[in-house]
Amino acid sequence: MRSIKNIFPLLALLLCISCVTEREDENSFYLNQISRIQLNLNQQIFFSEDLQQPLNVDVRYFDESNRPLFSNVNIPFELLLTDSLINSPVLDLSKPGQYQLRAAFPTREQTFSNDIEIQVVGPEYIQEIRLDFSNETRNSYAVANNNTMDFTIKVFGPDGEITGLEEQIFRNLELKIGNQSSQRLENITISEVGSLDVVASVFGVESNKLKIESRENIIYPVRELPIIFHVFSNGPNISAAQMNNQITNANAAFSNNIRTSFKSNVNAVNNYFRYRLADRDPEGQVMELTGYNRIEVPSDFNADSPEYLQTKFDAMWDPNRYINVFIESIGFAAGFAYLPTLSNPAIPGLQVNSNPDPVINYPYSISLDYRFAIELNNPNSHVLAHELGHYLGLYHTFHNCGTGDFCDDTLPHSITNLSGNAVFNNNRRGCLGDNFISTNIMDYVIEVDNFTFDQRERMQAVYENAIFFPRQENQTSRVSPIRKGELDPSIKPIICEF
């Protein structure tokens, strides 16, 4: 019995030797085919932090013809970090320095891979941090506690932009806007008012400085303005439902209640203008169809008729009491509108008539193309709002790269070099070369949703200073009828070809 017991340890030893021999035979089988081991690492530079960084290593084997081996077989390997065997692919980032990483096939002879240099660097490695506005919310103006802004940063080292370390960079990021601080770059609410410095820092290294002019929002009394739609007897008609739809869309635009697929503009504001259909005619009589006036014209009357402009001028209801909107078949444009006239030069870019007893000599009105703005199954819902912007003194945001549109918080840009669908694309390039997303109602873009703070201030100033304008006091008190002078055809509207 004792001799049998002595056999068991011997059998166990023989079994162990057999397993080792089999494993060595297996390794020898692999080793005999391996000509080269390729070690790949997706990131070779790391910032020093008090943490362990997993290394995303990739080990590949090739034969003497440089063909990949064992692509579907899990082949073991060992990792050596500066010639020290490590149990798992993890790097201690608390120790700055240079390291060499290589892989080895686990045999007694050890076949090695290529070496990969790894650097763990401190803040001094950062040579530049470029802070910028994001394209979607790019603006150096803001309304405090309104919508949010996004920023971007790029971090540069001796060899150019540092990529692949976004997680480390954002973990050690601080963004300062005035006195407020954030650890993120997106969805930042500007909470202070004034001229604010914006600076980002990563590992204590500061970026360039941006400036934001932040304004406190202003609440105005709601200005209610009546609209009269004029149709020509030989032209397209407009139904009560269509008129109400136009009013609804205009009110949504001017009250900042439109949303697009883009982020809301940080300067988008309520404009405090509300529109309604006129319910009384110039004689004070209740209208049979609210907001609707039919103008009898010859059957061959059109925009090319010699009497076209004079007819509109004569048919225009008193602009001190109504906003006149003509429904037409324009064809070459979605609509057009005349700019207001001021009693004093309070607003740049608008004509002035300082006569104490002025007469009007142009058809201060709006024209809409029926097919484009109203009739189509999917008409442009905001043509009227766009034209009302002109009526209230706004220019296109792409007016020019000099004066721009006289509103600081709309980025000046040009569309003269664009063609086809690019004209209407929300992606814009500013006059200074900055890319941005435009959703302004006064641009020719597909998705629109806002008038800005400065546009609102300009329109409110027009309300106070225009001499032919349906202010609310003109609707509730007796005012002398407007005096029409001789038509001046040299006064042109702004044509909107979108």
Side-chain angles (χ1 to χ4, degrees), residues 112-284:
F112 294 103
S113 72
N114 56 301
D115 286 347
I116 291 182
E117 297 289 332
I118 298 177
Q119 294 184 72
V120 178
V121 298
E124 67 280 356
Y125 186 81
I126 299 174
Q127 295 191 344
E128 181 187 5
I129 299 175
R130 292 181 195 168
L131 174 67
D132 197 6
F133 299 99
S134 76
N135 288 351
E136 192 166 2
T137 65
R138 183 180 300 282
N139 210 302
S140 57
Y141 289 82
V143 175
N145 297 304
N146 193 27
N147 296 316
T148 61
M149 299 188 78
D150 297 341
F151 300 87
T152 65
I153 60 167
K154 292 183 178 180
V155 181
F156 294 84
D159 300 318
E161 184 179 358
I162 301 171
T163 59
L165 294 180
E166 288 78 13
E167 186 176 337
Q168 278 197 288
I169 288 171
F170 291 128
R171 189 165 54 236
N172 293 277
L173 166 77
E174 182 181 24
L175 180 71
K176 294 201 71 175
I177 304 176
N179 293 315
Q180 69 183 97
S181 179
S182 174
Q183 272 65 55
R184 65 179 191 273
L185 295 172
E186 297 181 341
N187 299 318
I188 306 298
T189 299
I190 310 301
S191 59
E192 296 179 62
V193 173
S195 183
L196 308 177
D197 291 337
V198 186
V199 179
S201 63
V202 177
F203 291 104
V205 180
E206 289 194 347
S207 71
N208 57 303
K209 186 183 297 183
L210 302 177
K211 281 279 191 183
I212 292 178
E213 297 297 328
S214 177
R215 292 79 58 89
E216 186 173 359
N217 204 355
I218 301 172
I219 298 176
Y220 288 91
V222 175
R223 324 286 201 180
E224 190 174 82
L225 304 172
I227 289 179
I228 180 68
F229 287 98
H230 301 286
V231 300
F232 296 110
S233 59
N234 71 333
N237 205 355
I238 185 171
S239 68
Q242 289 170 329
M243 289 190 294
N244 281 303
N245 188 54
Q246 290 292 312
I247 296 295
T248 298
N249 290 340
N251 283 334
F254 277 82
S255 59
N256 193 28
N257 281 325
I258 305 174
R259 294 296 173 263
T260 68
S261 62
F262 300 102
K263 295 192 71 167
S264 296
N265 189 297
V266 73
N267 292 290
V269 291
N270 186 338
N271 294 271
Y272 298 101
F273 291 106
R274 298 295 179 271
Y275 303 97
R276 64 175 176 83
L277 293 172
D279 55 5
R280 292 182 180 272
D281 65 19
E283 285 70 44

Side-chain angles (χ1 to χ4, degrees), residues 334-355:
F336 55 84
Y338 287 86
L339 292 168
T341 300
L342 307 181
S343 59
N344 60 77
I347 308 167
L350 298 177
Q351 60 185 344
V352 174
N353 185 339
S354 56
N355 191 319

Side-chain angles (χ1 to χ4, degrees), residues 376-413:
L376 294 176
N377 291 333
N378 186 27
N380 189 314
S381 303
H382 307 297
V383 177
L384 179 57
H386 180 101
E387 303 306 336
L388 284 166
H390 291 314
Y391 188 91
L392 283 157
L394 299 184
Y395 284 91
H396 291 133
T397 55
F398 51 83
H399 183 57
N400 65 50
C401 284
T403 59
D405 62 349
F406 304 100
C407 296
D408 289 337
D409 59 5
T410 59
L411 276 69
H413 60 286

Side-chain angles (χ1 to χ4, degrees), residues 475-490:
Q475 302 165 41
T476 57
S477 62
R478 288 185 174 273
V479 293
S480 300
I482 194 169
R483 293 195 305 120
K484 293 182 181 179
E486 183 178 346
L487 174 65
D488 182 356
S490 68

